[in-house]
Amino acid sequence: MFRLDTREVVGLEALCRMRIGNAVVSAASFHEATTDAHVATALTARMLALVAADLRVWLDMGIPFQHVGINVSSADLSGGAIERVLTSAFEREGVSLEHVILEVTETVYMGDGDQAVQTAIRALRDRGIRVALDDFGTGFASLTHLLTVPVDVIKIDKTFIDHLTPESVSMTIVEGLIRIAERMNIRIVAEGVESEEQAAMLQAAGCVLGQGFLYAPALDRRKITALLLDRAQYATASNATTTAAAARRR
């Protein structure tokens, strides 16, 4: 996630990949397996452990790391274990939960068993854990749902960004979402920003944050470290350093 104006890195999104021999398999290739609740929760637990370990390294390096988004499934939320697994992984590495944002798609947010999911989201936010509504505009969530189960971040789906032109319906919708989010104190992130023209239109509309191939493709740990060293937003450097120092004292 980058600032549209300065191109500084504000945050990351953790992507699940599987390595088979020398080949790296994307999540789309094994997505069907994640419909199994046991597989989904095991993958999430593994992702949380790896992310927390990476954050510990980056904070110890003095990188002013802000946050990483981690996608969670309905099984993670409805099972009720996500808070315990998340807390355990981050406490083990001495990393504050302020550095994580849990990302929930509209389908998960309002899908089968939605009451259990929404209850879990409320509990997580009560603990100070931030939650993002991912791929907004592609599912069947409604703005009215934000009245009962608010979130901290709305990520506008790439579909709207793909069709941005100055007078397009997509532009009108994006501008409206930006205004609504401002009034509700919700952060907006534009997904799938791939051109300078899209970035310019979004910035002109008042959007501050974006993510997409215009800034960087999916990168491994080594390349992400180099990117953070070069372009991480230093506005929160003191907070990151304090967090790292406190963890080392424990």
Side-chain angles (χ1 to χ4, degrees):
M1 185 188 304
F2 285 70
R3 285 189 60 99
L4 292 170
D5 53 357
T6 65
R7 303 300 167 90
E8 293 171 297
V9 181
V10 175
L12 305 173
E13 180 177 350
L15 302 177
C16 187
R17 297 289 185 266
M18 183 182 297
R19 188 180 297 277
I20 302 177
N22 293 323
V24 176
V25 181
S26 71
S29 300
F30 58 87
H31 174 73
E32 191 66 26
T34 65
T35 59
D36 180 278
H38 295 293
V39 173
T41 53
L43 277 175
T44 299
R46 179 61 175 158
M47 287 281 289
L48 289 170
L50 291 171
V51 168
D54 286 344
L55 263 63
R56 178 72 272 146
V57 171
W58 292 331
L59 291 173
D60 285 342
M61 291 174 66
I63 293 174
F65 189 84
Q66 295 195 42
H67 64 262
V68 60
I70 302 173
N71 292 278
V72 291
S73 67
S74 56
D76 295 315
L77 293 164
S78 59
I82 185 64
E83 183 179 339
R84 173 181 55 78
V85 175
L86 172 64
T87 301
S88 175
F90 275 66
E91 284 184 347
R92 186 163 56 246
E93 299 293 341
V95 177
S96 170
L97 290 177
E98 69 183 11
H99 293 298
V100 66
I101 296 177
L102 296 182
E103 299 193 6
V104 183
T105 65
E106 286 188 16
T107 303
V108 170
Y109 191 91
M110 296 305 303
D112 294 337
D114 56 291
Q115 287 300 320
V117 168
Q118 292 174 24
T119 298
I121 291 173
R122 291 192 192 95
L124 289 166
R125 295 186 76 249
D126 287 345
R127 281 286 311 274
I129 298 167
R130 288 174 292 174
V131 175
L133 185 54
D134 197 14
D135 300 335
F136 188 83
T138 60
F140 42 85
S142 163
L143 288 173
T144 58
H145 296 131
L146 299 179
L147 296 173
T148 54
V149 189
V151 293
D152 304 284
V153 181
I154 289 177
K155 302 184 76 173
I156 303 175
D157 188 73
K158 181 180 184 298
T159 305
F160 295 100
I161 311 306
D162 285 343
H163 295 90
L164 281 185
T165 60
E167 304 300 325
S168 66
V169 174
S170 287
M171 190 76 249
T172 301
I173 292 172
V174 169
E175 288 174 336
L177 284 173
I178 292 169
R179 300 287 88 77
I180 291 169
E182 285 177 349
R183 295 292 297 271
M184 298 182 69
N185 198 30
I186 295 174
R187 300 178 78 181
I188 283 281
V189 179
E191 296 185 295
V193 182
E194 297 182 352
S195 72
E196 293 290 353
E197 291 75 18
Q198 291 171 339
M201 283 187 286
L202 288 164
Q203 191 175 346
C207 186
V208 176
L209 301 172
Q211 68 180 62
F213 281 7
L214 175 62
Y215 310 109
L219 300 172
D220 61 24
R221 182 187 295 107
R222 179 179 58 82
K223 291 179 179 178
I224 281 290
T225 301
L227 180 67
L228 289 170
L229 286 169
D230 182 50
R231 299 169 68 179
Q233 187 182 47
Y234 277 80
T236 56
S238 59
N239 292 340
T241 302
T242 299
T243 303
R248 284 194 293 270
R249 285 198 297 271
R250 280 199 292 272

